[in-house]
Amino acid sequence: MKKLLADSFHNDPRVAQAKQLILDALADHQAKLDGVRPPDADFKAQHEQAVERFSQLRGGKLFYPYIASGLGKGALVELADGSIKYDFITGIGVHGWGHCHPDMVEAGIDAALRDTIMQGNLQQGAQSAALSQKLIDAARENGSRLEHCFLTTSGAMANENALKLAFHHKAPANRVLAFERCFMGRSLALAQITDKPAYRVGLPQTVAVDYVPFFDSNQPKESTELALKTLRSHLARYPGQHAVMSFELVQGEGGYYPGDHDFFVALMDELKAHGVLVMADEIQTFGRTTRLFAFQHFGIDQYVDVVTIGKLSQVCATFFTDALKPKPGLISQTFTGSTSSIFAASKIIDGLLHGGYFGQDGKITRLHDHFVSRLEAIADRHPGAVAGPFGIGGMIAFTPFDGALETVKKAIFALYDAGVIAFLAGSGPYRVRFLMPIGAVTTDDIDAVCQIIEDTLPGLASNDNS
Ligand SMILES: Cc1ncc(COP(=O)(O)O)c(C=O)c1O
């Protein structure tokens, strides 16, 4: 059979040999990463200068003095100060396969052997098409009406595209519905919808938003009634003016509050009755529940009109039904992803779908249960020190002590110094949250991290937050 020149190159035995050599060298060097290590005094001054210089260059302090050295193994990562830490936040949910996973290194090498670094609207490689097909097939598995998948480079851009499709379809409707405490991203429009005043200081108003309270698992019936009542009053106040309601099915930045099937269905039925589109923002939930998409986990496949993904998926994307197909020119992008991110995405999606991650007894649930049981044991041994744990699947959080912002900040910096990278979420109470690398983490890693959490707690007990 006739072969393309590219196929001959990519299948050249020298390429396979070179790749194997690199992977062998990687494994040898990774073997030395065997646990948490404090910073090395020899790198201290140089590292501090690099962090300071970088902060100046970017016009704002780095949250952590984190600059990677470029080597890691699974959940462990070496930093430029010589320290080795457990990465249990993974760039806020991005590095799901951890650090230097051989599959990711291989994806990077394969991508480097393609003709371009980026793929874009005008010039795509076959892998972008194959990835879009893979994602659409998975999204339609339980009968969703999603037929199209537009790749992009950030969660914010995926959400912008989703809103544009919704407004375009529902013109002249010009309002959006969203949940209180939602986070959608940091573009001008999304900063308006994100329910956090500090994130839109000084920004002009771009979209009109009406907020609905979220589900409260302690009061399922009452919170559903309240949300429905609020939604109805917005719909009545602005008849025909809402294009779409955005659903963050598990509130992420808001503090790891999962929703509920009946709650969502009650609201979505009302929206459908008023011709308002249903959008699911899955940028943080994608690949972290018992199904690839959280809309599948919550069994609301037939309701979603537009869905966005990001973070763990390496590429971001907007899925939409055929009815929302835009006229030419509405959405377009110079680049839709780097070739390496598209190759990595493909491996991660295959890994998630075929690696036993999903279902009630899948790897994600087992990792979740293990982590949660360890945190519960810590909570039992230290009354008043740990509330929770909270969350779902690969999204786990706890509240230390009073949950005040200063307490939680103190906790995450103390954990960082002790060798665990976490982050905060929520707002009064704030929470310490984890997005562990589900494709690389082991129960031994979780045990080691929980030991560090337990050892760190006593130092947080004082009211001295200085
Ligand atoms: C639910 C949700 N939507 C949108 C975004 C924005 O994604 P990005 O930071 O890639 O623009 C995030 C990021 O944290 C998110 O959690």
Side-chain angles (χ1 to χ4, degrees):
M1 206 172 82
K2 217 166 166 182
K3 261 192 188 166
L4 290 169
L5 297 175
D7 292 334
S8 308
F9 168 46
H10 297 138
N11 293 312
D12 186 315
R14 288 171 297 177
V15 168
Q17 267 174 15
K19 210 154 66 171
Q20 195 52 55
L21 261 179
I22 292 174
L23 290 172
D24 290 347
L26 171 67
D28 286 350
H29 290 272
Q30 279 182 316
K32 294 168 202 146
L33 274 118
D34 50 6
V36 164
R37 227 183 258 174
D40 187 318
D42 286 351
F43 300 115
K44 190 171 184 287
Q46 185 189 329
H47 180 72
E48 280 172 4
Q49 272 172 20
V51 169
E52 181 54 33
R53 182 73 194 122
F54 193 13
S55 295
Q56 278 174 17
L57 286 170
R58 67 198 289 278
K61 209 168 164 255
L62 291 171
F63 189 85
Y64 288 128
Y66 181 113
I67 297 181
S69 74
L71 188 70
K73 184 173 75 176
L76 288 169
V77 58
E78 182 192 53
L79 302 191
D81 63 4
S83 67
I84 298 175
K85 299 186 192 298
Y86 275 110
D87 182 4
F88 264 44
I89 196 61
T90 56
I92 318 195
V94 181
H95 323 308
W97 261 219
H99 296 264
C100 290
H101 191 294
D103 287 355
M104 294 298 100
V105 173
E106 205 176 346
I109 298 171
D110 288 343
L113 301 180
R114 262 59 194 181
D115 59 316
T116 57
I117 306 294
M118 306 301 281
Q119 314 237 338
N121 253 354
L122 214 51
Q123 294 179 290
Q124 297 274 13
Q127 300 76 29
S128 288
L131 176 63
S132 303
Q133 184 69 57
K134 211 189 283 286
L135 286 166
I136 279 291
D137 289 347
R140 290 174 64 82
E141 210 176 274
N142 276 26
S144 88
R145 292 167 294 115
L146 302 169
E147 273 191 55
H148 307 285
C149 169
F150 190 89
L151 302 178
T152 187
T153 44
S154 74
M157 200 59 217
N159 278 345
E160 281 279 334
N161 285 338
L163 291 179
K164 283 167 80 176
L165 290 169
F167 283 128
H168 185 66
H169 181 67
K170 298 300 294 183
N174 61 355
R175 302 187 76 85
V176 174
L177 289 148
F179 285 116
E180 290 170 5
R181 295 195 313 247
C182 75
F183 181 88
M184 278 194 87
R186 295 176 188 271
S187 69
L188 277 177
L190 301 171
Q192 214 56 245
I193 303 172
T194 292
D195 191 18
K196 199 123 181 181
Y199 294 176
R200 63 173 99 92
V201 173
L203 304 184
Q205 194 180 355
T206 45
V207 219
V209 195
D210 297 307
Y211 293 99
V212 173
F214 196 67
F215 180 68
D216 179 352
S217 58
N218 295 318
Q219 300 185 305
K221 194 163 164 283
E222 295 81 351
S223 60
T224 305
E225 277 166 10
L226 179 64
L228 207 46
K229 193 173 151 212
T230 313
L231 174 64
R232 284 183 180 136
S233 94
H234 291 315
L235 293 170
R237 178 162 291 130
Y238 301 106
Q241 291 181 51
H242 294 101
V244 63
M245 174 153 180
S246 173
F247 285 75
E248 211 184 330
L249 301 170
V250 180
Q251 293 207 299
E253 308 301 302
Y256 284 18
Y257 295 93
D260 165 82
H261 169 84
D262 292 347
F263 173 78
F264 292 136
V265 165
L267 295 181
M268 289 176 181
D269 276 337
E270 192 69 19
L271 292 165
K272 293 281 160 195
H274 286 81
V276 180
L277 297 168
V278 169
M279 167 180 174
D281 174 348
E282 294 230 21
I283 287 158
Q284 197 156 154
T285 50
F286 179 79
R288 293 209 170 257
T289 62
T290 60
R291 298 292 307 265
L292 188 62
F293 293 86
F295 73 74
Q296 297 171 326
H297 170 89
F298 289 109
I300 46 171
D301 302 63
Q302 70 273 33
Y303 288 93
V304 290
D305 297 294
V306 56
V307 174
T308 53
I309 63 166
K311 295 183 185 281
L312 177 58
S313 48
Q314 308 301 299
V315 290
C316 300
T318 308
F319 300 78
F320 50 99
T321 62
D322 202 46
L324 297 197
K325 220 162 105 185
K327 297 207 172 69
L330 190 83
I331 55 174
S332 174
Q333 239 169 275
T334 305
F335 29 88
T336 46
S338 69
T339 307
S340 58
S341 67
I342 286 157
F343 273 67
S346 194
K347 287 216 184 223
I348 286 186
I349 310 294
D350 281 344
L352 285 170
L353 287 174
H354 309 298
Y357 283 86
F358 299 127
Q360 292 310 327
D361 191 34
K363 188 172 172 194
I364 291 179
T365 302
R366 282 184 272 124
L367 289 170
H368 172 95
D369 291 348
H370 188 81
F371 199 174
V372 160
S373 71
R374 291 297 313 257
L375 288 173
E376 279 169 353
I378 296 174
D380 286 347
R381 286 194 289 270
H382 302 268
V386 169
F390 309 100
I392 186 171
M395 302 168 72
I396 296 172
F398 74 87
T399 300
F401 298 96
D402 59 359
L405 179 59
E406 286 314 311
T407 310
V408 175
K409 273 193 171 167
K410 190 174 166 185
I412 58 174
F413 282 105
L415 286 173
Y416 185 88
D417 289 343
V420 174
I421 312 172
F423 197 45
L424 44 82
S427 51
Y430 287 83
R431 291 172 171 177
V432 175
R433 71 165 141 162
F434 304 98
L435 286 158
M436 55 185 164
I438 48 167
V441 75
T442 63
T443 49
D444 284 350
D445 293 330
I446 293 174
D447 290 347
V449 163
C450 286
Q451 189 59 56
I452 294 171
I453 294 172
E454 187 157 14
D455 294 345
T456 308
L457 280 176
L460 304 171
S462 82
N463 290 326
D464 174 17
N465 286 320
S466 58

